[in-house]
Coordinates of all heavy atoms in Angstrom, one line a residue:
F299 N -10.1 -57.5 19.1 CA -10.3 -57.6 17.6 C -10.9 -59.0 17.3 O -10.8 -59.9 18.0 CB -9.1 -57.3 16.8 CG -7.8 -58.1 17.4 CD1 -7.7 -59.5 17.2 CD2 -6.9 -57.4 18.1 CE1 -6.6 -60.1 17.7 CE2 -5.7 -58.1 18.6 CZ -5.6 -59.5 18.4
E300 N -11.5 -59.0 16.1 CA -12.0 -60.3 15.6 C -10.8 -61.0 14.9 O -10.1 -60.3 14.1 CB -13.2 -60.2 14.7 CG -13.9 -61.5 14.6 CD -15.0 -61.5 13.5 OE1 -15.4 -60.4 13.1 OE2 -15.3 -62.6 13.1
L301 N -10.6 -62.3 15.1 CA -9.6 -63.0 14.3 C -9.9 -62.9 12.8 O -11.1 -63.0 12.5 CB -9.5 -64.4 14.7 CG -9.0 -64.7 16.2 CD1 -8.9 -66.2 16.4 CD2 -7.6 -64.1 16.4
T302 N -8.9 -62.8 12.0 CA -9.1 -62.8 10.6 C -9.5 -64.3 10.2 O -9.2 -65.2 10.9 CB -7.9 -62.4 9.7 OG1 -6.9 -63.4 10.0 CG2 -7.4 -61.1 10.1
Q305 N -6.5 -66.4 10.3 CA -6.1 -66.8 11.6 C -7.0 -67.9 12.1 O -6.5 -68.9 12.7 CB -6.2 -65.6 12.6 CG -5.0 -64.6 12.4 CD -5.2 -63.3 13.2 OE1 -6.3 -62.8 13.2 NE2 -4.2 -62.8 13.9
D329 N 2.4 -63.5 5.9 CA 3.2 -62.3 5.7 C 3.4 -61.5 7.0 O 2.7 -61.7 7.9 CB 2.4 -61.5 4.6 CG 3.4 -60.7 3.8 OD1 4.6 -60.6 4.1 OD2 2.9 -60.2 2.7
V330 N 4.3 -60.6 6.9 CA 4.6 -59.7 8.1 C 3.3 -59.0 8.5 O 2.6 -58.5 7.6 CB 5.7 -58.7 7.9 CG1 7.0 -59.1 8.4 CG2 5.7 -58.2 6.5
G331 N 3.0 -59.0 9.8 CA 1.8 -58.3 10.3 C 0.5 -59.1 10.1 O -0.5 -58.5 10.5
S332 N 0.6 -60.3 9.7 CA -0.7 -61.0 9.5 C -1.2 -61.6 10.8 O -2.3 -62.1 10.9 CB -0.5 -62.2 8.5 OG 0.5 -63.1 8.9
G333 N -0.5 -61.4 11.9 CA -0.9 -61.8 13.2 C -0.7 -63.3 13.6 O -1.6 -64.0 14.0
K334 N 0.5 -63.7 13.4 CA 0.9 -65.1 13.7 C 1.0 -65.4 15.2 O 0.7 -66.5 15.7 CB 2.2 -65.5 13.0 CG 2.1 -65.5 11.5 CD 3.4 -65.9 10.9 CE 4.5 -64.8 11.0 NZ 4.2 -63.5 10.3
T335 N 1.4 -64.3 15.9 CA 1.7 -64.5 17.4 C 0.4 -65.1 18.1 O 0.6 -66.0 18.9 CB 2.1 -63.2 18.0 OG1 3.1 -62.6 17.2 CG2 2.7 -63.4 19.4
I336 N -0.7 -64.5 17.8 CA -1.9 -64.9 18.5 C -2.3 -66.4 18.2 O -2.7 -67.1 19.1 CB -3.1 -64.0 18.2 CG1 -4.2 -64.1 19.2 CG2 -3.6 -64.2 16.8 CD1 -4.1 -63.3 20.4
P482 N -5.1 -58.2 9.1 CA -6.3 -57.8 9.8 C -7.0 -56.6 9.1 O -6.4 -55.8 8.4 CB -5.7 -57.3 11.1 CG -4.4 -58.2 11.3 CD -3.9 -58.4 9.9
N484 N -8.3 -53.8 10.0 CA -8.1 -52.4 10.3 C -6.9 -51.8 9.6 O -6.7 -50.6 9.8 CB -8.0 -52.2 11.8 CG -6.8 -52.9 12.4 OD1 -6.2 -53.7 11.8 ND2 -6.4 -52.6 13.7
R485 N -6.2 -52.6 8.9 CA -5.0 -52.1 8.3 C -5.2 -51.2 7.0 O -5.9 -51.7 6.1 CB -4.0 -53.2 8.0 CG -3.7 -54.1 9.1 CD -2.7 -53.5 10.0 NE -2.7 -54.3 11.3 CZ -2.0 -55.4 11.3 NH1 -1.4 -55.9 10.3 NH2 -2.0 -56.1 12.5
D588 N 7.1 -55.5 17.3 CA 5.7 -55.0 17.1 C 5.4 -53.8 17.9 O 5.1 -53.9 19.1 CB 4.8 -56.2 17.5 CG 3.3 -55.9 17.2 OD1 3.0 -55.3 16.1 OD2 2.5 -56.2 18.0
P590 N 2.8 -51.0 17.2 CA 1.8 -50.6 16.2 C 1.7 -49.0 16.0 O 1.3 -48.6 15.0 CB 0.5 -51.1 16.8 CG 0.9 -52.2 17.7 CD 2.2 -51.9 18.2
R617 N 1.3 -51.7 11.3 CA 0.8 -52.8 12.1 C -0.4 -52.3 13.0 O -0.8 -53.1 13.9 CB 1.9 -53.3 13.0 CG 3.1 -53.8 12.2 CD 4.3 -54.2 13.1 NE 4.1 -55.5 13.8 CZ 4.5 -56.6 13.2 NH1 4.9 -56.6 12.0 NH2 4.3 -57.7 13.9
Ligands
ADP805 P1 3.3 -61.2 12.7 O1 2.4 -62.1 11.9 O2 4.1 -60.3 11.9 O3 4.1 -61.9 13.7 P2 1.9 -60.1 15.0 O4 1.4 -61.4 15.5 O5 3.1 -59.5 15.7 O6 2.3 -60.2 13.4 O7 0.7 -59.1 14.9 C1 0.8 -57.8 14.5 C2 -0.1 -56.9 15.2 O8 -1.5 -57.1 14.8 C3 -0.1 -57.1 16.7 O9 -0.1 -55.8 17.4 C4 -1.4 -57.8 17.0 O10 -1.9 -57.5 18.3 C5 -2.3 -57.3 15.9 N1 -3.4 -58.2 15.5 C6 -3.3 -59.6 15.4 N2 -4.4 -60.1 14.9 C7 -5.2 -59.1 14.7 C8 -6.6 -59.0 14.2 N3 -7.3 -60.1 13.8 N4 -7.1 -57.8 14.1 C9 -6.4 -56.7 14.4 N5 -5.2 -56.7 14.9 C10 -4.6 -57.9 15.0

Side-chain angles (χ1 to χ4, degrees):
F299 45 74
E300 199 191 338
L301 294 183
T302 64
Q305 284 171 318
D329 212 343
V330 266
S332 58
K334 293 180 290 295
T335 314
I336 195 84
N484 63 347
R485 304 285 167 76
D588 184 42
R617 300 174 82 85

